[in-house]
Amino acid sequence: MLTYIVKRLFEMIPMLIGITLISFIVVNLAPGNPAQFLSSMNPKISETAYQKFINMYQLDKPVLERYWIWLKKLSRLDFGNSFASDQKPVLSKIAERLPVTIYLNLVSMILIIIISIPIGVLSAVYRNSLFDRITTVIVYIGFAIPTFWLAILCAYYFGVIKGWLPISGLTSYEFEDFSTLEKIYDVIWHSILPVGISVFGSIAGFSRFIKSSMMDAINEDYITAAYARGLSKNTVIFKHALRNALLPVITILGLSIPGLIGGSVIFESVFSIPGMGQLFYQSVMMRDYPVIMGILVIGSFLTLLGNLIADISYAIADPRIRYGKKK
């Protein structure tokens, strides 16, 4: 297993280089550049200052040459400095925002697993029942509704009209004056809308996938044999069928990590949450290439790492699966 992990980690290097190359070219060939954004924000800027900005950040060089310069810095874990007025190092800006995004996505993932697995299992075991039909309708509603539209709609109804939930930020203005318990409550209270919408949109896909996988497992011969041995229904369903049904689900869970971070761009922008998603959106609008590439590198690495974790989890879920040399 250790040899397999090390081999996969080395294989991630050329894949990561390929992903960053394509991303760098696409980002730099998009209309507009940081110098144009700077001049649009300050119409009085001189041509000399404009040209100085281009020369300082080497924007006049070919794309591939700039990529090579950026890649050499990346090999030293140097993501460069932001093009924004604060000129902060990219890693510092991401480090400030990353804990918020990790918190939101970790809570969302836990809730998605807790809710999706029971719904999927019960829908498979009691298929065509009233429960299955109700959850199917709710699931298809979750598939059909655009996430950004649902976020705006919920923010307007629950925050503006009813005034039940906060719709901006992750903390209140007087957060620093709160006690420890009040701070925890305040963060949870501000997280209800963004986390709830994230979970609602993801439950649809997860629960249907679990149901499909569970139905395939229930129809296997070893399930019939388990019933023939006199095992209880709960034992057969949750110990035998569910364990095998989780194998394809593990793949979806591993690859969903970067997907949740991508979804953070919507939630954090709509609800003004200072996380990595909001930073990414602001950087794209400002053509802040170093920050954009820094976030894309982290997202790409998480995608590859999630795939590796999924492969390792196969062996944990199913003892029959082993990685290594065959004897």
Side-chain angles (χ1 to χ4, degrees):
M1 176 65 78
L2 181 60
T3 303
Y4 172 79
I5 295 174
V6 172
K7 180 182 177 182
R8 285 291 302 273
L9 287 174
F10 276 106
E11 290 176 352
M12 288 169 58
I13 296 175
M15 295 180 65
L16 190 61
I17 292 175
I19 294 172
T20 56
L21 174 61
I22 296 173
S23 301
F24 192 91
I25 293 174
V26 170
V27 168
N28 282 267
L29 293 182
N33 61 55
Q36 293 175 349
F37 177 82
L38 179 66
S39 60
S40 65
M41 295 297 292
N42 184 10
K44 295 182 179 180
I45 188 172
S46 64
E47 182 65 28
T48 304
Y50 178 86
Q51 193 62 40
K52 183 179 180 181
F53 184 89
I54 291 179
N55 294 334
M56 181 172 58
Y57 291 106
Q58 302 173 332
L59 297 176
D60 54 339
K61 293 185 177 181
V63 174
L64 293 180
E65 185 177 348
R66 279 187 282 143
Y67 173 75
W68 177 246
I69 296 172
W70 175 84
L71 189 61
K72 287 192 292 185
K73 291 182 178 179
L74 181 64
S75 63
R76 303 190 301 268
L77 295 180
D78 179 11
F79 286 82
N81 294 332
S82 171
F83 287 168
S85 58
D86 55 14
Q87 297 288 301
K88 280 187 176 181
V90 172
L91 284 180
S92 297
K93 297 191 75 167
I94 294 177
E96 292 174 358
R97 306 288 192 108
L98 189 58
V100 174
T101 301
I102 291 177
Y103 158 72
L104 291 174
N105 285 281
L106 185 61
V107 173
S108 298
M109 179 62 73
I110 292 173
L111 291 176
I112 289 168
I113 294 173
I114 291 175
I115 298 173
S116 296
I117 291 180
I119 290 177
V121 171
L122 292 176
S123 296
V125 175
Y126 303 103
R127 56 185 178 274
N128 298 325
S129 64
L130 180 61
F131 174 82
D132 184 30
R133 293 174 183 174
I134 292 174
T135 53
T136 299
V137 172
I138 296 175
V139 161
Y140 282 119
I141 291 175
F143 269 126
I145 298 179
T147 305
F148 71 90
W149 180 81
L150 180 62
I152 295 173
L153 186 66
C154 290
Y156 178 70
Y157 181 77
F158 293 108
V160 178
I161 296 180
K162 294 297 183 180
W164 292 343
L165 297 170
I167 60 173
S168 178
L170 201 58
T171 57
S172 301
Y173 290 113
E174 59 275 14
F175 181 78
E176 296 300 329
D177 299 329
F178 291 163
S179 64
T180 303
L181 290 178
E182 288 175 334
K183 287 181 178 180
I184 295 174
Y185 174 80
D186 187 60
V187 172
I188 294 175
W189 191 244
H190 280 77
S191 305
I192 291 177
L193 273 179
V195 171
I197 295 171
S198 174
V199 170
F200 179 74
S202 299
I203 282 177
F206 274 94
S207 61
R208 291 302 92 179
F209 198 83
I210 292 171
K211 176 186 176 182
S212 176
S213 182
M214 192 68 183
M215 288 178 63
D216 291 339
I218 290 175
N219 293 326
E220 292 291 337
D221 292 337
Y222 68 86
I223 297 297
T224 304
Y227 278 120
R229 292 200 304 271
L231 298 178
S232 65
K233 185 175 184 179
N234 288 338
T235 302
V236 173
I237 295 298
F238 293 102
K239 185 176 180 180
H240 296 277
L242 180 59
R243 186 168 186 176
N244 289 277
L246 286 179
L247 288 178
V249 177
I250 289 173
T251 304
I252 302 299
L253 287 174
L255 297 178
S256 65
I257 297 174
L260 286 173
I261 294 178
S264 298
V265 176
I266 298 175
F267 308 129
E268 293 176 6
S269 299
V270 171
F271 296 106
S272 300
I273 297 175
M276 201 165 67
Q278 186 192 59
L279 176 64
F280 183 75
Y281 173 77
Q282 294 171 345
S283 301
V284 170
M285 294 296 101
M286 294 174 59
R287 304 297 189 272
D288 194 345
Y289 296 158
V291 176
I292 295 173
M293 288 305 302
I295 295 176
L296 286 176
V297 167
I298 292 175
S300 302
F301 177 76
L302 288 176
T303 302
L304 299 174
L305 184 62
N307 196 12
L308 175 60
I309 293 174
D311 288 345
I312 296 173
S313 300
Y314 286 150
I316 299 174
D318 190 346
R320 295 172 299 176
I321 298 177
R322 289 291 179 267
Y323 299 108
K325 296 181 179 179
K326 294 182 178 180
K327 293 182 180 181

